[in-house]
Amino acid sequence: MNKLPREFVKSCDTCARSKAPKHRPFGLLQPLPIPSRPWGTIEWISSRTSDKEKGVNVQVLLRCRPFNDEERKANAPQVISCYDQRREVTVIQNIASKQIDRLFTFDKVFGPQSLQKDLYDQAVVPIVNEVLEGFNCTIFAYGQTGTGKTYTMEGSGRKTKNGELPADAGVIPRAVQQIFDTLESQNAEYSVKVTYLELYNEELTDLLAPEEFSKLAMDDKSKKPLALMEDGKGGVLVRGLEEEMVTSASEIYHLLDRGSAKRQTAETFLNKQSSRSHSIFSITIHIKEATPEGEELMKCGKLNLVDLAGSENISRSGAKDGRAREAGEINKSLLTLGRVITALVEHLGHIPYRDSKLTRLLRDSLGGRTKTCIIATVSPSVHCLEETLSTLDYAHRAKNIKNKPEVNQ
Ligand code: ADP
Ligand code: MG
């Protein structure tokens, strides 16, 4: 198996925006290499899908975690019942001493007993296959802090000594393994690149930037953070973002660890809570293939894995009627993601993608041709009931997104 040399990847017309006609026109955040920094600075471009290609494909899953020790000790009543086979969730609510059962249906439901492997095999394997076919896909974890977003996306543990993934490994390490297993079994040249971004208070941080530069950035208040900018053609660029080319799954695990450690350092430094920041881990794959006519074709697919900020940071009324809470409490990107979803569902003419960096970055996975999967996470306990209902409502709204060709900003 040959890895594609960097020069070849640079000739990819989606990434480099060259005029070569053989590339398939998929597009979300495609890399545009600009070798201005020695460690490989890049820009990203989100190429806009044409109206004809638009067809929303949103899969919404619900995952309920088991009771934690605290809830168990407190004998917290269980208010959620999951029916994995029927893809249904019921929530018991007591209103004015009357018991009301509310029923929600999703594409898939994973109850407290579900394993990381179950969720991955049933929901994520087909998505990664799409990426390997040259599509751009995004998986979001959405829910209240402490309900299992990071557990679902990252889990604990990477590869064990015998090369197997531990049972607790989440979506990201499993996706990495599937990608490399597939690439290595195919007779094709390929390259794999990753980026790892954090978005906090509308400020982007590169979690893969070399340590000395991140320290510099924190000490030097005048140093500008990564810049997100329009390219004038409907796309979005992230100027100054570190992009790492990798040749094996273990290299990616190493980068994940490096990025997560940096996230924690930055947290201490800036006194912020990771529950209020979004992280976006992206894997871009180029595969060189020969057509039956003997022509060379390069497939370019991208997988965005997004661990969203805790949903308790958005005001429920704000998400619905657009009124914001006090400045300090708002998580603009999460709020806007909710508004974008509502606007798509209600077929509003104006979709407010531009109102937050998250929706600008991921614009083409909401309302575009690309495939989107939202994993909504909840606790089974009565103590989280209010937030659970908010998560279920949000996820349920997302489920009803329909295609509307003329949808635009
Ligand atoms: P979040 O990222 O949503 O704040 P975490 O992923 O950190 O939440 O999960 C909180 C705790 O619950 C962690 O200790 C995690 O290991 C545990 N947990 C979450 N989901 C599950 C699950 N499905 N099975 C077992 N433990 C879980
Ligand atoms: Mg988390």
Side-chain angles (χ1 to χ4, degrees), residues 233-289:
K233 297 175 186 170
V236 174
L237 305 169
V238 183
R239 197 179 288 278
L241 182 64
E242 178 84 357
E243 185 181 55
E244 294 272 355
M245 199 153 191
V246 285
T247 54
S248 68
S250 56
E251 275 182 49
I252 299 195
Y253 300 143
H254 176 71
L255 290 176
L256 251 179
D257 290 341
R258 191 172 107 193
S260 302
K262 186 163 172 205
R263 206 176 171 193
Q264 277 154 22
T265 316
E267 194 171 310
T268 327
F269 230 99
L270 302 171
N271 194 26
K272 68 181 178 183
Q273 297 172 7
S274 66
S275 65
R276 299 193 62 193
S277 72
H278 314 280
S279 73
I280 308 173
F281 189 77
S282 301
I283 309 173
T284 305
I285 307 161
H286 287 85
I287 306 173
K288 193 163 108 176
E289 280 183 348

Side-chain angles (χ1 to χ4, degrees), residues 152-170:
T152 299
M153 295 307 273
E154 288 185 32
S156 48
R158 315 271 185 249
K159 278 209 165 169
T160 53
K161 277 185 188 128
N162 61 9
E164 292 292 307
L165 283 170
D168 268 344

Side-chain angles (χ1 to χ4, degrees), residues 44 111 123 139 153 198-199 216-217 226 241 258 310 325 333 394:
W44 277 6
I139 302 177
M153 295 307 273
E198 186 186 44
L199 184 57
L216 200 80
L226 297 180
L241 182 64
R258 191 172 107 193
R325 272 176 169 183
S333 281
Y394 187 105

Side-chain angles (χ1 to χ4, degrees), residues 63-68 110-116 141-153 155-156 168 274-275 307-308 310 312 377-378:
R63 186 177 207 188
C64 179
R65 68 155 166 75
F67 276 107
N68 61 28
F110 297 92
Q113 309 309 324
S114 67
L115 305 174
Q116 298 279 60
Y142 177 94
Q144 182 187 4
T145 298
T147 52
K149 294 182 298 298
T150 306
Y151 176 81
T152 299
M153 295 307 273
S156 48
D168 268 344
S274 66
S275 65
D307 188 348
L308 289 167
E312 68 281 3
T377 57
V378 294

Side-chain angles (χ1 to χ4, degrees), residues 216-227:
L216 200 80
M218 282 180 219
D219 292 343
D220 180 1
K221 298 274 181 294
S222 68
K223 190 165 166 59
K224 286 195 180 119
L226 297 180

